[in-house]
Amino acid sequence: MKIPFTKAHGARNDFLLTWAQQAPLADYSAAAIAICDRHTGIGADGWLIVGRENGMPWIRLFNSDGSEPEISGNGTRCAAAFLIEAGVSSDEVSIRTGAGVKHLRLLERSGREFIFEMNMGRPIVEPGNLHFSLPLEAGSVDATILDVGNPQCAIFVDDFSLDWRKIGAEVERHPHFPNRTNVSFVVPVNGHSIDVRFFERGVGETMSSGTGSTGAAVAAILRKVVTSPVRVLTPAGPLDLRWDNGEDVFLVGPAEIVAGGEFYFHEKTG
């Protein structure tokens, strides 16, 4: 079957988007693995199925490994750009995600390039998880474990000379996280900025992450190494966050629509 898609990226964290009615599939996970493959598919970090119910847009996200996470911050901005480009949403967009309804406000637009402010919600850090000693094969690390709509583990390091990808892969599937976790490695830069690398659950290394940036910024604020507002420096460019009075976190970042087409998917039956 032919699956129409639009390709977009949020700070080089790339996604494919398809209207739900255009992909009536029995197995979305298998289709996600196929369409996201960077050699035999279109290539992306994830696939977003977009629909509407009673006027409310909704999205389901499938990672490139076929797993279905609760939310992606960068992906949700891409979905907002997709909806505005399709003419079904205005400058204020509300989208139902696996982590609840998220609200976005369009700040700037130039053609198919968008800048949004997104309400990421209120982060949750359980007692004892601000400085959590996480045992690994090569010794323990001092991590901050939190939830920002999806699970996050922020590890503070002096620099990125360590094999953070290997550590990220181990932490993602650590027994402490029965549903796996997203991992960020954080280097404080100054009182209002941090440098971060991301190892995302179900994807691996990504150029940026909206929820990962949120978790890293919140962890850095709680550890008192920065104060709000916080600029998160990623390999794909900066994302800006503010977290005031312990309420909701707001993230400002880009989304750009870059391509569209059809993917030829051979769905297995029986």
Side-chain angles (χ1 to χ4, degrees), residues 14-266:
D14 58 338
F15 300 88
L16 304 167
L17 302 100
T18 300
W19 288 111
Q21 64 268 25
Q22 294 179 330
L25 297 167
D27 189 346
Y28 283 104
S29 293
I33 293 170
I35 197 171
C36 291
D37 190 286
R38 296 193 182 276
H39 299 285
T40 60
I42 305 303
D45 292 325
W47 185 33
L48 287 157
I49 305 300
V50 185
R52 285 194 296 168
E53 183 177 0
N54 298 323
M56 168 72 75
W58 57 263
I59 55 175
R60 288 181 68 185
L61 170 61
F62 294 87
N63 286 328
S64 58
D65 72 345
S67 60
E68 185 174 2
E70 301 84 353
I71 188 174
S72 162
N74 290 339
T76 305
R77 293 200 312 277
C78 289
F82 177 79
L83 291 163
I84 292 173
E85 178 74 4
V88 299
S89 291
S90 64
D91 292 356
E92 300 280 344
V93 187
S94 295
I95 303 174
R96 186 176 303 281
T97 76
V101 176
K102 299 300 178 182
H103 304 282
L104 302 93
R105 181 166 61 96
L106 180 64
L107 301 180
E108 299 177 27
R109 179 180 182 180
S110 176
R112 293 184 175 88
E113 298 180 14
F114 303 77
I115 301 290
F116 290 101
E117 179 184 70
M118 177 176 170
N119 186 334
M120 300 297 291
R122 185 176 299 183
I124 299 172
V125 183
E126 299 293 343
N129 282 351
L130 180 58
H131 289 277
F132 186 90
S133 181
L134 186 68
L136 301 178
E137 290 180 358
S140 63
V141 294
D142 178 21
T144 295
I145 298 171
L146 66 164
D147 189 291
V148 296
N150 61 16
Q152 298 287 334
C153 179
I155 300 172
F156 287 74
V157 296
D158 294 330
D159 55 48
F160 300 119
S161 61
L162 75 169
D163 192 350
W164 61 267
R165 296 171 184 85
K166 180 180 179 181
I167 296 171
E170 182 182 354
V171 172
E172 177 197 359
R173 297 179 178 275
H174 193 280
H176 186 78
F177 307 105
N179 296 317
R180 296 190 290 168
T181 188
N182 299 284
V183 190
S184 58
F185 295 86
V186 187
V187 175
V189 177
N190 57 44
H192 288 285
S193 64
I194 54 179
D195 198 359
V196 185
R197 299 294 181 268
F198 305 97
F199 197 93
E200 290 203 325
R201 176 182 57 165
V203 182
E205 179 184 358
T206 57
M207 298 287 285
S208 71
S209 169
T211 54
S213 294
T214 301
V218 168
I221 291 170
L222 290 175
R223 284 173 173 248
K224 301 186 186 304
V225 297
V226 296
T227 56
S228 179
V230 179
R231 170 158 285 192
V232 178
L233 306 175
T234 82
L239 294 172
D240 293 305
L241 297 102
R242 58 183 173 87
W243 187 39
D244 302 320
N245 303 316
E247 300 294 327
D248 292 352
V249 180
F250 289 85
L251 181 151
V252 173
E256 181 180 3
I257 297 172
V258 297
E262 292 179 332
F263 175 63
Y264 307 134
F265 177 59
H266 302 285

